[in-house]
Amino acid sequence: MSTTEGANYKVIGTRPIRHDGTDKVLGRAVYGGDVRLPGMLYGQVLRSPHAHARIRSIDVSKAVALPGVRAVTTAGDFPSTADKRMDLGEGVVSLKYLRDNILASDKVVYKGQAVAGVAAVDLHIAEEALALIQVDYEVLSPVVEVRQAMREGAPLLHETVTTKELGEDTGRKSNIASHLRHTLGDLAAGFASAAVVVEREFSTATVHQGYIEPHNATATWSQDGQLTIWTSTQGAFTARDQVAAVLDHPVSKIKVVPQEIGGGFGGKIPVYLEPVAALLSRKTGHPVKLIMTRPDVFQSTGPTPGSYIRVKMGVDQGGRLVAAEAYMAFEAGGFPGAEIGAGAMCVFACYYIPNAQVDVYDVVVNKPKSAPYRAPCAPQAAFAVEIVMDELAEKLGMDPLDFRLKNAAREGTRRVDGVVFPRIGCVETLEAIKNHPNYRIPLEPNQGRGVAIGYWFNIGFKSSVSASVNEDGTVNLVEGSTDIGGTRTSIAMQFAEVLGLAAEDINPSVVDTNSVGYTDVTGGSRVTYATGWAAYEAAQDVKAQMIVRAAKLWEVPADQVEFSEGVFFHKSDSSKRLNFKELAAKLDQTGGPVVGSATVKPNTGVGGAFAANIVDVEVDPETGKVQVLRFTVAQDAGKAIHPAYVEGQMQGGSVQGIGWALNEEYFYTERGEMANSSYLDYRIPTALDLPMIDTVIVEVPNPGHPFGVRGVGEAPIVPPMAAIANAIYGATGVRLTELPMRPDRVVAALQAQAAG
Amino acid sequence: MSTTEGANYKVIGTRPIRHDGTDKVLGRAVYGGDVRLPGMLYGQVLRSPHAHARIRSIDVSKAVALPGVRAVTTAGDFPSTADKRMDLGEGVVSLKYLRDNILASDKVVYKGQAVAGVAAVDLHIAEEALALIQVDYEVLSPVVEVRQAMREGAPLLHETVTTKELGEDTGRKSNIASHLRHTLGDLAAGFASAAVVVEREFSTATVHQGYIEPHNATATWSQDGQLTIWTSTQGAFTARDQVAAVLDHPVSKIKVVPQEIGGGFGGKIPVYLEPVAALLSRKTGHPVKLIMTRPDVFQSTGPTPGSYIRVKMGVDQGGRLVAAEAYMAFEAGGFPGAEIGAGAMCVFACYYIPNAQVDVYDVVVNKPKSAPYRAPCAPQAAFAVEIVMDELAEKLGMDPLDFRLKNAAREGTRRVDGVVFPRIGCVETLEAIKNHPNYRIPLEPNQGRGVAIGYWFNIGFKSSVSASVNEDGTVNLVEGSTDIGGTRTSIAMQFAEVLGLAAEDINPSVVDTNSVGYTDVTGGSRVTYATGWAAYEAAQDVKAQMIVRAAKLWEVPADQVEFSEGVFFHKSDSSKRLNFKELAAKLDQTGGPVVGSATVKPNTGVGGAFAANIVDVEVDPETGKVQVLRFTVAQDAGKAIHPAYVEGQMQGGSVQGIGWALNEEYFYTERGEMANSSYLDYRIPTALDLPMIDTVIVEVPNPGHPFGVRGVGEAPIVPPMAAIANAIYGATGVRLTELPMRPDRVVAALQAQAAG
């Protein structure tokens, strides 16, 4: 189901088969695990058994001596570059922390942190060698929960972490790496004017991105310093730049060849194995391949930050929000860098609130360094705010959607972080679910209905596209964006639309970092927006060149030739007409091949997206099991280039949200060890757990994109946890404020309610 | 040694280490033989044991039934496209002949012609299966020599070959596929005015290009029709277009991924295994890999045409050439298409001859279909003409170089094919060898000195280049030209020169057909010329974009910014200056990445090249063995971009010429079977056979190229055979007119001389 606005497109808005579909369905697509090179060695990584320990020494001599072992590498093999802070496209990071997260130097700060890499002639020898590496640890007490980590006297993870308090370095050693605040209006006056105020506290679990394909990297370091890396990554250029920084090696000497990717969700932006494979290749002179096990993925790669959040909101008599305050502390994991800024931007973004304040903290704990996960830090914030909103509506006696609509953000609304919204689709998205028949289905006993809305701002960044016209009028399109969700096709469609071609006429390739202009990560819901825009511009470039060719062919000035509806024609001589394919066949006689290219870096124009849910659940009062009966998601895509892939993103994000809501979490032992690092024990939703996810694409075109695209990948994971919590409340009358809302927590809450 | 003219370049004319050098020296470069894909099958090709036979039937049932065999393919698997004539970049060819040369349908016309392909789980099973394919042949008499093939009543290779006589189809069935004639002036009057006339006849052997790496192809045909081919080829796009034609499959569904190439010399332009691998992959659903054996390469891939040539030339009293006539018949091999036009263009090109005629014939014989080999058909022609020139000089009592200089072609000279030379370096090349000290070294008994000159016109065709600026000011350069002789570097240097960068700042990649604009074959000495030109234009594009960025940075109009000597600067504010790397570091803040691209198709401007030799030999009068003592080659490179690679081409071409002159030939049995299809029996020169080849680069810049490049790959193979023949004459007093000038022929000639 889709609400369509705007221009009458030929290709955009249709649902062609994805270009890479057959190869992926038939198992022919080449993933990182498929890479095999002549003379290749196999690597394994030794990982810390402790959540927190000082490394006194590492003795690799016995491992090196094992027959079949070709090299062992440790942090000592990194060049002796002074520590520095650098921006690698995902926020400023410290080089030392970046390196320590790849191979620990002086400390380990989470169980599973890499300590050494081994390359051997086969995987079994490499594994055997791990046991021969002797690491002398001084074991320290761990701290794995954000509030405990913030306390005075908590075990200190880093001597070098000092709290950055509202932008100023306090010099105070602490696990709080930074504290950020946004203020709007007069908070005290706002709350003073409130008729109803609700304040609640919440906690959310550490959850993993849960991609099926484990991290992998194969590297070959030639004696002339040329380093080639094959890897599954969300951003080949970002991987290149991280490896360049970690190894202090020029970007022009590094080629990253992106392989097909089996899911990322933000977790395949950081590099883990790539530099280790590179160091081992440099030492051995052979290509070296590394693949993580599933426990490695859980214990050593970025989950989303767990959080503690307190939200206080006030409304006036008329049901208008007058004040809101949020305190949010996020678990960065072993090194600073939870995306707290994003959380602060999103927390109150769905509403017009004249007086507001957000305090947000980046806190290190002895867990794996967190990584971006689909709208990072926004789902945690929405979980808190949307439950409070539900309670406010109830106290006001208003329908929860009417209450939200009354306060909904619109064009011109100023967010707490100071940004003033351009044209957005918050109201339209809320109306879409309000008008959905699923909002009116009668409920049975023990069933409840919840709604919620969430926001994600999306990003622009840099993208490049080149396009070469074939003599049959098809076009080879080259781009640098890892295709996770069908973006080869959504980019190709935008190119095709400009030139009156079919999606199938475009032959898109995702190429290595040497073969296309700089292109940022597949993340931030940016690819269809920004790389699609680059494709639009490259098509304009091709069109302009083709006009010159037509003019040459007809021996008329180029300004006498126009292009419309797929046809090049002479303005005043109707006999002179050629469609794109006819003209393509004549390129050879008019000067040779036509190649177009474009780069974009949209600084403004990125359009934020809103997603809203209606969820119906049934709660078993005896077991506490929550069954999702119906799940509806409406989302403003701006313009849905390929509606099926937009729906896929909406469904995928919703399902992950259901996982966060009901099942997923890292269980930690007292010693800070993850106790459930397998898919048997870490439960992501399966098809049996889920209803069909109903989707409604709302289209409020983004004025900052040629086709109105906003970006769709992240917003749908933001509201589900709150919507499910609100539905559980509807079914049971108890409000759960801790994620996940496991059966035992439901039962406990019901028992507490019964106990009165 | 080099004679330098022209501009004062910073990069052009230097000798940086080639970008792919380390990987090639260390065995890390990936060749076609290194390709391994998951689930890959191995193929073998059944080849005709007969030089000439009709195929009555092919029964593959037993082979298909062999366990481990996955598919067998024959010509019956080609689509039933009607025959047509098509231009695939190397002259017009018939689709039927193109296909029959890949998999024979109704006839085999040479021993080794492919008849069927097998794919199996391993190579040995595939080989075993070949013996189970039952082909019912009706064996016919073969004809393997051009004059015999031209005779009335000779065995007829093709019912469909009818002689094209001076452009008109005679309808006469014959082995003569075509006859071409060029005439200039009044031949009879010219000869009537001659004081001295010499007429001689010559024959040259069938010789192979002799690349070390055998042909190979790996193909995977996906169920959606996407065909990917990994192969060592001189032209990925040409391979793509041939495969598209043979399989009647759209070019946009075919991706050719060029691998590193172990030599080609023209022989890796035609496709042989690629369509067979594709058909087998389509049948099996698996990737299929095929590699030729050495006998396959000799017996089934294109050698150069053997020839019979008659040349008559006349001079007046003053030593001026007044008339010349050539009759040249070339062995096309089993299918028409020897490059007779090229031979006709080159035969008399070194001289101003007012009255001339050339008759040239394309003749089919029962040998493998000939393929281009370094200046195709020009060496044979020069062998004849330059021996006649030597004899004329002797009869006139003139120094052979003075005689050539007196008659040398210059700017404005009209060739027999009607072309009027632009600025050329014929005189300068002759003068370079005349002034060389090697021309004055005294000789011992049994030693002789010979000189000769040769011409090759070079080609332009189409090339595309894209370039992406890295933030450190290095540039990733993408091109489609197979790098055989160091052209990654010679192209990168031209790009670097424009922007004031070093060769090492450019990071060139040769990419697949989906990832760059159309680019023609590496052949015709065109790559440094045309792809280099495209790189020059792409650098201009980058420069123009960088100027806009500098202007943006300085907040001045773009027309106030200039670029010179590697620096962008404001015309009237000397404080505003940035070199390329400094400005590259600021691209991010001025709009994002910069990508430049360009395509070229030089129709005019291609500059012909002349190469001249001085050769000293010693002839053992008892054994007839000819030892090359000294070998000097001077050649007009136009402008030598990378002098070491120009010298490498000059030396390589000379060595191949020495092989043609003294050792190389296909020996045929009476049944038309090649008797020496291994490198033990087919003798190419080894280091022990050769002196150091002294090189003199002459630089007469080509006005038709931004840096004056002419192209250097082919001209050096043209004169050596004649120069050696003339040297043998100097040593012995006998003129040899048959190639190769084997010891037995030398002895026979000496005995005939002695017999008087």
Side-chain angles (χ1 to χ4, degrees):
Chain A
M1 189 170 145
S2 159
T3 311
T4 303
E5 273 191 42
N8 192 14
Y9 298 119
K10 294 232 164 66
V11 177
I12 288 173
T14 66
R15 300 172 181 236
I17 292 173
R18 55 197 290 169
H19 295 83
D20 49 326
T22 305
D23 277 353
K24 284 188 174 160
V25 167
L26 295 173
R28 219 168 216 170
V30 176
Y31 290 79
D34 296 321
V35 174
R36 282 203 305 178
L37 299 173
M40 193 172 80
L41 301 174
Y42 296 83
Q44 288 274 19
V45 173
L46 180 70
R47 297 180 180 280
S48 167
H50 307 297
H52 195 192
R54 210 161 269 126
I55 297 174
R56 290 201 192 98
S57 66
I58 307 175
D59 180 355
V60 303
S61 56
K62 285 187 185 163
V64 170
L66 184 70
V69 169
R70 292 297 158 85
V72 179
T73 189
T74 64
D77 292 324
F78 287 130
S80 54
T81 326
D83 191 24
K84 56 187 171 184
R85 295 177 69 76
M86 52 187 60
D87 189 346
L88 295 169
E90 283 289 319
V92 175
V93 292
S94 148
L95 176 60
K96 177 176 178 356
Y97 296 156
L98 193 58
R99 284 179 171 170
D100 279 352
N101 199 36
I102 289 161
L103 285 172
S105 57
D106 49 354
K107 272 192 99 172
V108 287
V109 289
Y110 59 89
K111 178 173 184 291
Q113 188 176 345
V115 173
V118 174
V121 295
D122 71 42
L123 208 52
H124 309 291
I125 293 173
E127 201 168 338
E128 197 181 332
L130 295 185
L132 299 176
I133 298 173
Q134 295 170 304
V135 186
D136 183 7
Y137 291 106
E138 177 192 346
V139 179
L140 305 170
S141 297
V143 57
V144 297
E145 197 276 328
V146 63
R147 276 165 301 177
Q148 290 174 17
M150 292 173 85
R151 275 182 203 137
E152 285 286 329
L156 208 59
L157 269 73
H158 300 283
E159 291 293 317
T160 47
V161 168
T162 52
T163 306
K164 264 58 89 185
E165 179 73 26
L166 310 183
E168 299 273 309
D169 191 338
T170 62
R172 196 174 64 238
K173 286 183 193 174
S174 152
N175 290 323
I176 303 170
S178 63
H179 167 208
L180 180 77
R181 171 178 291 170
H182 293 303
T183 308
L184 184 71
D186 181 333
L187 193 68
F191 277 117
S193 70
V196 182
V197 172
V198 171
E199 180 173 12
R200 296 285 174 258
E201 57 181 350
F202 304 87
S203 69
T204 69
T206 301
V207 293
H208 197 270
Q209 289 81 349
Y211 30 84
I212 300 305
E213 180 203 34
H215 292 260
N216 56 76
T218 306
T220 180
W221 191 315
S222 189
Q223 280 75 350
D224 61 356
Q226 287 292 345
L227 170 59
T228 305
I229 296 172
W230 294 259
T231 185
S232 302
T233 172
Q234 288 181 239
F237 283 91
T238 308
R240 182 192 73 168
D241 292 355
Q242 290 177 71
V243 170
V246 166
L247 301 179
D248 204 7
H249 199 62
V251 290
S252 49
K253 292 264 184 191
I254 304 175
K255 175 167 83 170
V256 174
V257 189
Q259 307 300 296
E260 293 294 346
I261 189 167
F265 311 110
K268 285 187 186 150
I269 296 172
V271 298
Y272 299 98
L273 300 175
E274 291 85 343
V276 180
L279 289 173
L280 289 169
S281 178
R282 189 173 62 178
K283 284 195 158 187
T284 60
H286 285 262
V288 176
K289 180 176 184 175
L290 293 166
I291 302 188
M292 286 195 190
T293 63
R294 182 61 54 191
D296 290 348
V297 174
F298 274 115
Q299 299 185 20
S300 316
T301 75
T304 200
S307 69
Y308 166 76
I309 300 179
R310 218 165 48 229
V311 165
K312 179 180 173 187
M313 298 177 83
V315 288
D316 66 14
Q317 290 288 3
R320 294 246 169 224
L321 288 167
V322 289
E325 186 180 9
Y327 171 103
M328 305 194 286
F330 287 99
E331 294 172 349
F335 300 97
E339 304 203 48
I340 60 172
M345 285 164 73
C346 294
V347 57
F348 293 130
C350 297
Y351 305 111
Y352 168 65
I353 309 174
N355 309 291
Q357 182 168 306
V358 178
D359 286 280
V360 59
Y361 297 84
D362 183 30
V363 182
V364 290
V365 297
N366 292 113
K367 290 181 176 176
K369 165 73 179 77
S370 68
Y373 179 4
R374 216 165 189 159
C377 294
Q380 295 94 326
F383 176 60
V385 168
E386 290 296 294
I387 291 175
V388 171
M389 285 294 289
D390 208 60
E391 196 170 340
L392 284 171
E394 187 188 26
K395 288 194 193 311
L396 292 163
M398 287 181 74
D399 172 88
L401 288 175
D402 287 338
F403 175 52
R404 284 172 171 83
L405 274 163
K406 190 177 193 89
N407 291 284
R410 294 158 194 271
E411 186 171 352
T413 298
R414 181 179 295 276
R415 291 200 316 238
V416 65
D417 59 323
V419 170
V420 176
F421 275 125
R423 180 80 175 93
I424 50 172
C426 183
V427 168
E428 291 80 354
T429 303
L430 284 167
E431 284 173 344
I433 61 167
K434 194 182 165 197
N435 297 330
H436 199 282
N438 285 1
Y439 196 53
R440 280 172 290 279
I441 296 174
L443 296 172
E444 307 287 322
N446 295 323
Q447 295 183 355
R449 174 165 300 145
V451 297
I453 186 166
Y455 169 72
W456 181 251
F457 47 88
N458 297 330
I459 61 175
F461 288 19
K462 290 169 279 185
S463 285
S464 305
V465 161
S466 295
S468 168
V469 181
N470 291 314
E471 63 179 21
D472 64 358
T474 60
V475 176
N476 291 337
L477 190 144
V478 171
E479 41 132 339
S481 288
T482 299
D483 180 357
I484 304 185
T487 52
R488 279 183 182 86
T489 304
S490 68
I491 293 163
M493 289 169 75
Q494 294 179 65
F495 187 93
E497 186 71 47
V498 173
L499 295 171
L501 297 170
E504 295 77 11
D505 291 330
I506 315 302
N507 188 17
S509 301
V510 180
V511 299
D512 64 57
T513 54
N514 280 3
S515 308
V516 66
Y518 194 95
T519 299
D520 273 300
V521 290
T522 292
S525 305
R526 62 174 293 279
V527 175
T528 299
Y529 171 75
T531 312
W533 194 341
Y536 169 88
E537 297 293 346
Q540 297 292 349
D541 185 14
V542 167
K543 186 169 80 180
Q545 294 182 52
M546 299 282 278
I547 283 174
V548 171
R549 298 304 181 89
K552 196 170 174 185
L553 202 63
W554 297 328
E555 296 175 339
V556 301
D559 62 7
Q560 290 303 299
V561 178
E562 287 200 347
F563 178 81
S564 172
E565 303 272 320
V567 176
F568 297 88
F569 60 93
H570 188 268
K571 279 182 187 176
S572 47
D573 178 352
S574 63
S575 72
K576 294 184 165 57
R577 293 173 60 85
L578 289 170
N579 69 26
F580 186 88
K581 293 194 176 186
E582 290 164 341
L583 182 55
K586 293 177 192 299
L587 291 183
D588 216 31
Q589 67 192 82
T590 54
V594 162
V595 173
S597 59
T599 69
V600 298
K601 187 191 177 193
N603 284 315
T604 57
V606 181
F610 294 84
N613 298 152
I614 313 164
V615 185
D616 292 352
V617 301
E618 180 163 323
V619 180
D620 182 325
E622 289 187 30
T623 64
K625 179 171 183 343
V626 176
Q627 185 70 40
V628 179
L629 302 173
R630 281 175 288 276
F631 194 107
T632 309
V633 51
Q635 183 176 335
D636 175 17
K639 176 67 200 171
I641 299 295
H642 191 303
Y645 302 161
V646 171
E647 290 160 1
Q649 290 293 322
M650 291 162 70
Q651 292 172 321
S654 298
V655 167
Q656 289 188 316
I658 292 169
W660 287 40
L662 299 176
N663 308 314
E664 298 183 39
E665 67 181 310
Y666 278 40
F667 281 101
Y668 275 89
T669 68
E670 281 180 8
R671 293 191 303 174
E673 293 163 349
M674 185 182 183
N676 61 330
S677 60
S678 80
Y679 276 137
L680 281 176
D681 297 323
Y682 181 97
R683 241 178 65 64
I684 59 175
T686 69
L688 292 176
D689 299 313
L690 299 165
M692 180 64 189
I693 310 291
D694 292 322
T695 56
V696 182
I697 300 175
V698 177
E699 292 188 322
V700 178
N702 171 17
H705 183 276
F707 294 122
V709 170
R710 293 187 180 275
V712 297
E714 287 161 293
I717 202 177
V718 182
M721 289 68 79
I724 290 170
N726 294 338
I728 291 172
Y729 177 74
T732 63
V734 297
R735 290 213 177 265
L736 295 173
T737 56
E738 262 184 287
L739 290 184
M741 296 175 282
R742 306 187 303 242
D744 62 310
R745 285 185 174 147
V746 173
V747 167
L750 290 171
Q751 286 171 347
Q753 181 192 42
Chain B
M1 190 169 146
S2 161
T3 310
T4 304
E5 273 191 41
N8 190 14
Y9 297 119
K10 292 234 167 63
V11 177
I12 287 174
T14 65
R15 300 171 180 238
I17 292 173
R18 55 197 290 169
H19 296 81
D20 49 326
T22 305
D23 277 355
K24 284 188 174 161
V25 167
L26 295 173
R28 219 166 214 171
V30 176
Y31 289 79
D34 296 320
V35 174
R36 284 203 304 180
L37 299 172
M40 192 172 82
L41 301 174
Y42 295 84
Q44 288 275 20
V45 173
L46 180 70
R47 297 181 180 280
S48 168
H50 307 297
H52 195 190
R54 212 161 269 127
I55 296 174
R56 290 201 192 97
S57 66
I58 306 175
D59 180 355
V60 304
S61 56
K62 285 186 185 163
V64 170
L66 183 69
V69 169
R70 292 296 158 84
V72 180
T73 189
T74 64
D77 291 324
F78 287 130
S80 55
T81 326
D83 191 23
K84 55 186 171 185
R85 295 177 69 76
M86 51 187 60
D87 188 346
L88 295 169
E90 285 287 319
V92 175
V93 293
S94 148
L95 176 59
K96 177 177 180 348
Y97 295 155
L98 193 58
R99 285 178 170 171
D100 279 351
N101 198 37
I102 289 161
L103 286 172
S105 57
D106 49 354
K107 271 193 99 172
V108 287
V109 289
Y110 58 90
K111 176 172 185 290
Q113 188 176 347
V115 173
V118 174
V121 295
D122 70 43
L123 208 53
H124 309 290
I125 292 173
E127 201 167 337
E128 197 181 332
L130 295 185
L132 299 176
I133 299 173
Q134 294 171 304
V135 186
D136 182 7
Y137 291 107
E138 177 192 344
V139 179
L140 305 170
S141 297
V143 57
V144 296
E145 197 277 328
V146 63
R147 275 165 301 176
Q148 291 176 17
M150 292 173 84
R151 277 184 202 136
E152 285 285 328
L156 210 57
L157 269 73
H158 301 284
E159 290 293 317
T160 47
V161 167
T162 51
T163 305
K164 264 59 89 185
E165 178 73 25
L166 309 183
E168 299 274 308
D169 192 339
T170 62
R172 196 172 64 238
K173 286 184 195 173
S174 152
N175 290 323
I176 302 170
S178 64
H179 168 207
L180 181 75
R181 172 178 291 170
H182 293 303
T183 308
L184 184 71
D186 183 334
L187 193 68
F191 278 115
S193 70
V196 183
V197 173
V198 170
E199 180 172 13
R200 297 283 174 261
E201 57 180 351
F202 304 88
S203 70
T204 70
T206 301
V207 293
H208 197 271
Q209 290 82 348
Y211 29 82
I212 300 304
E213 180 203 33
H215 292 260
N216 55 77
T218 306
T220 180
W221 191 315
S222 189
Q223 280 75 352
D224 61 358
Q226 286 293 344
L227 171 59
T228 305
I229 296 172
W230 294 259
T231 184
S232 301
T233 172
Q234 289 180 240
F237 283 91
T238 308
R240 182 192 72 168
D241 291 356
Q242 290 177 71
V243 170
V246 166
L247 301 178
D248 204 6
H249 199 63
V251 289
S252 50
K253 291 264 185 192
I254 304 175
K255 174 166 82 169
V256 174
V257 190
Q259 307 299 297
E260 293 295 346
I261 188 168
F265 311 109
K268 285 187 185 150
I269 296 172
V271 298
Y272 299 97
L273 300 174
E274 291 85 343
V276 180
L279 288 172
L280 289 169
S281 177
R282 189 173 63 179
K283 284 195 158 185
T284 60
H286 284 261
V288 177
K289 181 175 183 175
L290 293 166
I291 302 188
M292 287 194 189
T293 62
R294 182 62 52 190
D296 290 349
V297 174
F298 274 114
Q299 298 185 20
S300 316
T301 75
T304 200
S307 71
Y308 166 77
I309 300 178
R310 218 166 48 230
V311 164
K312 178 180 173 187
M313 298 176 84
V315 287
D316 66 14
Q317 289 288 5
R320 295 244 169 225
L321 289 166
V322 290
E325 186 179 9
Y327 171 103
M328 304 193 287
F330 288 99
E331 294 172 349
F335 299 97
E339 302 202 49
I340 60 171
M345 284 165 73
C346 294
V347 58
F348 294 129
C350 297
Y351 305 110
Y352 169 64
I353 309 173
N355 308 292
Q357 182 168 304
V358 178
D359 285 280
V360 59
Y361 297 85
D362 183 30
V363 183
V364 291
V365 297
N366 292 113
K367 291 181 176 176
K369 165 75 178 75
S370 68
Y373 179 2
R374 217 166 188 158
C377 295
Q380 295 93 325
F383 176 60
V385 168
E386 289 297 294
I387 291 174
V388 171
M389 285 294 288
D390 208 58
E391 195 170 340
L392 284 170
E394 187 189 26
K395 287 194 194 309
L396 291 164
M398 286 181 76
D399 172 88
L401 288 176
D402 286 339
F403 174 55
R404 285 172 171 85
L405 274 164
K406 191 176 192 90
N407 291 284
R410 294 158 195 271
E411 186 170 353
T413 298
R414 181 179 295 274
R415 292 199 316 237
V416 63
D417 59 324
V419 170
V420 176
F421 275 124
R423 181 78 175 95
I424 50 172
C426 183
V427 168
E428 290 80 355
T429 304
L430 285 167
E431 284 172 345
I433 60 166
K434 193 182 165 196
N435 297 329
H436 198 283
N438 285 2
Y439 196 51
R440 280 172 289 280
I441 296 174
L443 296 172
E444 307 287 322
N446 294 324
Q447 295 184 353
R449 174 165 299 146
V451 298
I453 186 166
Y455 169 75
W456 181 252
F457 47 89
N458 298 329
I459 61 174
F461 287 21
K462 290 170 278 185
S463 286
S464 305
V465 161
S466 295
S468 168
V469 181
N470 290 315
E471 63 179 20
D472 64 359
T474 59
V475 175
N476 292 336
L477 190 145
V478 171
E479 40 133 339
S481 289
T482 300
D483 180 357
I484 304 185
T487 52
R488 280 182 181 87
T489 305
S490 68
I491 293 163
M493 289 169 76
Q494 294 179 65
F495 187 92
E497 185 71 46
V498 173
L499 296 170
L501 298 170
E504 295 77 11
D505 291 329
I506 315 303
N507 188 16
S509 300
V510 179
V511 299
D512 63 57
T513 54
N514 279 4
S515 307
V516 66
Y518 194 94
T519 299
D520 272 300
V521 289
T522 293
S525 304
R526 63 173 292 280
V527 175
T528 299
Y529 172 76
T531 312
W533 194 342
Y536 168 90
E537 296 293 347
Q540 298 292 349
D541 185 13
V542 166
K543 185 169 80 181
Q545 293 183 51
M546 299 283 277
I547 283 174
V548 171
R549 298 305 180 88
K552 195 170 175 185
L553 203 62
W554 296 329
E555 297 176 337
V556 300
D559 62 9
Q560 291 303 299
V561 179
E562 287 201 345
F563 177 79
S564 171
E565 304 271 321
V567 176
F568 297 88
F569 58 95
H570 188 270
K571 280 184 190 175
S572 46
D573 179 351
S574 63
S575 72
K576 294 185 164 60
R577 294 172 61 83
L578 289 170
N579 68 27
F580 187 88
K581 293 194 176 186
E582 290 163 342
L583 182 55
K586 294 177 191 298
L587 292 183
D588 217 32
Q589 67 191 81
T590 54
V594 162
V595 173
S597 59
T599 69
V600 298
K601 188 193 177 192
N603 285 316
T604 57
V606 181
F610 294 83
N613 298 152
I614 314 164
V615 184
D616 292 351
V617 301
E618 180 164 325
V619 180
D620 183 326
E622 287 187 31
T623 63
K625 178 171 183 340
V626 176
Q627 185 69 41
V628 179
L629 302 173
R630 282 174 287 276
F631 195 107
T632 309
V633 51
Q635 183 177 336
D636 176 18
K639 175 68 201 171
I641 299 296
H642 192 304
Y645 302 162
V646 172
E647 290 160 0
Q649 291 293 321
M650 290 162 71
Q651 292 171 322
S654 298
V655 167
Q656 289 187 316
I658 292 169
W660 287 40
L662 299 177
N663 308 313
E664 297 184 39
E665 67 182 309
Y666 278 41
F667 282 99
Y668 275 88
T669 67
E670 280 180 9
R671 293 190 305 174
E673 293 164 349
M674 186 182 183
N676 61 332
S677 60
S678 80
Y679 276 136
L680 282 176
D681 296 324
Y682 181 95
R683 241 178 65 64
I684 60 174
T686 69
L688 292 176
D689 298 314
L690 298 166
M692 180 65 188
I693 309 291
D694 293 321
T695 57
V696 182
I697 301 174
V698 177
E699 292 188 321
V700 178
N702 171 16
H705 183 275
F707 295 122
V709 171
R710 293 189 179 274
V712 299
E714 288 161 294
I717 202 175
V718 182
M721 288 68 79
I724 291 170
N726 294 339
I728 292 171
Y729 176 74
T732 62
V734 297
R735 292 212 176 265
L736 296 172
T737 56
E738 262 187 286
L739 289 184
M741 297 175 283
R742 305 187 304 241
D744 62 311
R745 285 185 175 147
V746 173
V747 167
L750 289 172
Q751 287 170 345
Q753 181 192 41

